[in-house]
Amino acid sequence: MKFLNGASMPDIIRNLKKPFVFLHKDIINESSYKFAFVTQLLGIFFSVVSLYFLSKLVGKAALPHIQPYGGDYLSFLLIGLALFGYIQVALNSFSNCIRNAQTLGTLEAMLVTQTSIPTIIFSSSLYSFAITSFRIIVYLLFGALAFGLNVRSANYMGAIIILFITIICCSSIGILSASFIMVLKKGDPLSWIFKSLSWLLSGVYYPVSILPDWLQKLSYFIPVTHSLEGMRMALLNGYPMRDLFSSILPLSVSTIILLPLSMFSFKYAVRIAKINGSLTQY
Amino acid sequence: MPPIIETSNLRKIFPLPKRYKDLILHPFLKKETIALEDINILIDGGEIFGLLGPNGSGKTTLIKILSTLILPTSGKAFINGLDVTSHEEKIKKMIGYVVSDERSFFWRLTGRQNLRFFASLNNIPPSKIDSTIQELIRLIGLEKEIDNVFQNYSSGNKQKMAIIRGLLTNPRILFLDEPTRSLDPVVTHNLRSFIKEVLVEQTGKTVLIATNNMQEAEDLCSRVAIIQNGKIKKCDTIKEIKNIFVGKKRYVLMLKSSLEEIQARVDHSYLKNKVVNLGHGVSENKFIFLTVEIDMKNESISEIIEWLVTTGIKIESCIHQELPLSEIFKRCINA
Ligand SMILES: Nc1ncnc2c1ncn2[C@@H]1O[C@H](COP(=O)(O)OP(=O)(O)OP(=O)(O)O)[C@@H](O)[C@H]1O
Ligand SMILES: [Mg+2]
């Protein structure tokens, strides 16, 4: 049986295994830095504890801007931070992987194997996604136990769809910035701008409605705004699919534009690196 | 049968980074370096072909172009009839590439973990990975160290890892970039006979080997291309290259007489322009060594011996000296 690009069934099964080969390698690699590995785990604990004190400060105070999200600020914040955790990984991990492989000198050695470049970059970012997922699960569990994050009536299916599209959308931007890194090695402007704007405008810490009018208009053009909005509506208000559509649509449109663009630009960046002979340079 | 490796008018020009000063003063001026120029080679299946050249001559660049890691500026290169610029995936299935760069491993993983990782990337079935690795570490001799962390390996063992990795897929075509660099003489000798007897004679692989070691080229290669500044100076069997460039035979005569006397006699005879060297031996101070070079076709050493005997100079010994490959190499490059 032949599939896309003439790949056969065993080829596809092998490619499904490769992300785990990378994950295994990265776990061995990262856990060999014992001190950093432990502090990373401790870091999760500390940020959760600081959330706890924040919850003591804010408590159940009624904030008018939070009303559309069920009225509980901590739940609002927790969902925002959790999703933004994924967004950050999607934005950074691809260029970090490329940069790492360049400095280690392993990029060329991987590129000469029978594994395609998309598989390599996707697989090498899996570890970051796994660690982030672990962190976020701890956050959410803690939220549920310590200050009653209430997601019992949530639309989980909707939340998962939004998470999925968000990751693909932000990964596209992440891959675009990885293309810069591939050629320039250091100093990609894209993910920095996108991340800073998102922190400011998309409503991680506060709802967009608190921003001045013109900034609110601007925030509409940042896909992350729709992710956060949709995610909160799905988890905190349990909106049905039909009501999540207004968030999913702009998110999907930006993904449809960004994904092919990022794939194209990455291919082009590899080409330039092969012309410059700079795969092993950093 | 078509050649396994073929290049035609292959050129590679690398762009060079500009300095800040040039960025401002000459923003449109291109800085570049020519790494390869009009490279034409044909390599048949089952051949060990050597790329012999000094540092910076373009050997690594050529190998990287053939392994699809660098794109040529112009000209064509084919592996088994497939263009390297458009059939990357198929070509990667046929080749093994032994890099000369020890940075290409994960230093915090053990040798075995590294090899397992690269074996998986090369689509070796999981059930065969461990046995393949085991067999290769036995052949190359790395059993003791294989479970140590890579960063603690000696340079030679790092080099062995690169060789094992290149062989993992049992490829039809092998590119070896200075494979015996930093290996000790015993391992070097074993590796060379392994390449020659097992890889090529038994399993019929094609090997392209880049080296600046004459002995290696002479021991292994059926043909070599002598390359300098990106250009092929000569491409033939070593025997032919020796003949073309030499056409002469060298003899070293050990004489018993005073240096001054021999010098005076020689200077006034027909021998004068055949002498390559005349002087005391390094360790043998008693004797005078006379090195002469004569035309292979028209002259013979007996004439010279006769002349020496008639002039009363005592001859202790006379030996034929093979022109060392390094000498030929020097001549090729200066030609
Ligand atoms: N990425 C690059 N960018 C610019 N110039 C390069 C690049 N790679 C190689 N060169 C230049 O191309 C020339 C050939 O280099 P190459 O590495 O192929 O030499 P080599 O024959 O392998 O040398 P060695 O025996 O030292 O390994 C050199 O002048 C080198 O400086
Ligand atoms: Mg080299």
Side-chain angles (χ1 to χ4, degrees), chain A residues 276-278 281, chain B residues 14-16 33-35 53-62 177-178 212:
Chain A
N276 292 345
S278 68
Q281 298 179 345
Chain B
F14 283 113
L16 283 182
T33 162
I34 301 174
N55 293 135
S57 54
K59 306 179 295 289
T60 302
T61 305
L62 179 55
D177 197 349
E178 300 183 33
N212 42 31

Side-chain angles (χ1 to χ4, degrees), chain B residues 282-335:
Chain B
V282 182
S283 54
E284 285 280 2
N285 239 332
K286 276 195 296 187
F287 299 107
I288 303 298
F289 290 84
L290 171 69
T291 311
V292 290
E293 215 171 80
I294 56 170
D295 206 70
M296 228 144 55
K297 289 202 190 96
N298 312 325
E299 295 169 312
S300 92
I301 188 68
S302 54
E303 293 164 25
I304 293 173
I305 294 176
E306 243 178 71
W307 180 82
L308 283 169
V309 172
T310 52
T311 48
I313 298 171
K314 275 215 177 100
I315 302 173
E316 280 289 321
S317 78
C318 169
I319 44 173
H320 172 223
Q321 191 188 47
E322 272 269 5
L323 200 64
L325 197 59
S326 57
E327 186 68 21
I328 294 167
F329 184 65
K330 244 191 257 166
R331 289 183 192 194
C332 275
I333 282 176
N334 296 332

Side-chain angles (χ1 to χ4, degrees), chain B residues 223-278:
Chain B
R223 285 190 307 146
V224 296
I226 294 185
I227 174 170
Q228 193 211 11
N229 288 335
K231 291 195 203 90
I232 290 184
K233 294 277 175 176
K234 206 87 223 160
C235 176
D236 215 323
T237 60
I238 286 187
K239 201 169 156 218
E240 280 306 309
I241 288 183
K242 278 187 172 173
N243 282 346
I244 295 166
F245 267 89
V246 186
K248 293 195 168 178
K249 270 187 170 169
R250 248 187 206 208
Y251 291 90
V252 182
L253 296 132
M254 200 157 87
L255 309 174
K256 210 170 178 182
S257 188
S258 79
L259 182 58
E260 293 72 31
E261 193 194 339
I262 300 173
Q263 185 82 58
R265 293 267 170 91
V266 165
D267 278 351
H268 295 102
S269 76
Y270 82 111
L271 262 183
K272 195 181 167 197
N273 47 23
K274 299 187 195 303
V275 175
V276 179
N277 191 24
L278 176 66

Side-chain angles (χ1 to χ4, degrees), chain A residues 14 17-18 21-22 25 28-29 32-33 102-106 108-115 271 274-277 279-280 282, chain B residues 12 14-15 64 67-71 88 92-93 95 97 101 103-106 108-109 113 117-118 120-123 126 165 169:
Chain A
R14 269 198 291 267
K17 279 186 187 149
K18 279 178 190 160
V21 173
F22 273 86
K25 182 260 298 170
I28 300 174
N29 195 38
S32 74
Y33 295 95
Q102 281 168 343
T103 41
L104 289 180
T106 48
E108 202 173 64
M110 291 194 283
L111 288 186
V112 82
T113 65
Q114 298 169 28
T115 299
R271 204 184 139 75
K274 284 187 178 181
I275 288 174
N276 292 345
L279 289 173
T280 47
Y282 62 92
Chain B
K12 178 66 202 176
F14 283 113
K64 283 190 179 174
S67 345
T68 76
L69 291 169
I70 286 182
L71 284 168
E88 221 179 286
K92 286 198 282 190
K93 285 187 182 158
I95 61 168
Y97 174 30
D101 185 355
R103 281 199 310 137
S104 66
F105 285 93
F106 297 95
R108 297 185 72 91
L109 269 58
Q113 285 164 343
F117 176 76
F118 284 106
S120 302
L121 291 202
N122 274 318
N123 295 338
R165 179 173 62 189
T169 53

Side-chain angles (χ1 to χ4, degrees), chain B residues 175-187:
Chain B
F175 298 132
L176 309 174
D177 197 349
E178 300 183 33
T180 55
R181 197 175 61 163
S182 50
L183 296 182
D184 66 53
V186 177
V187 177

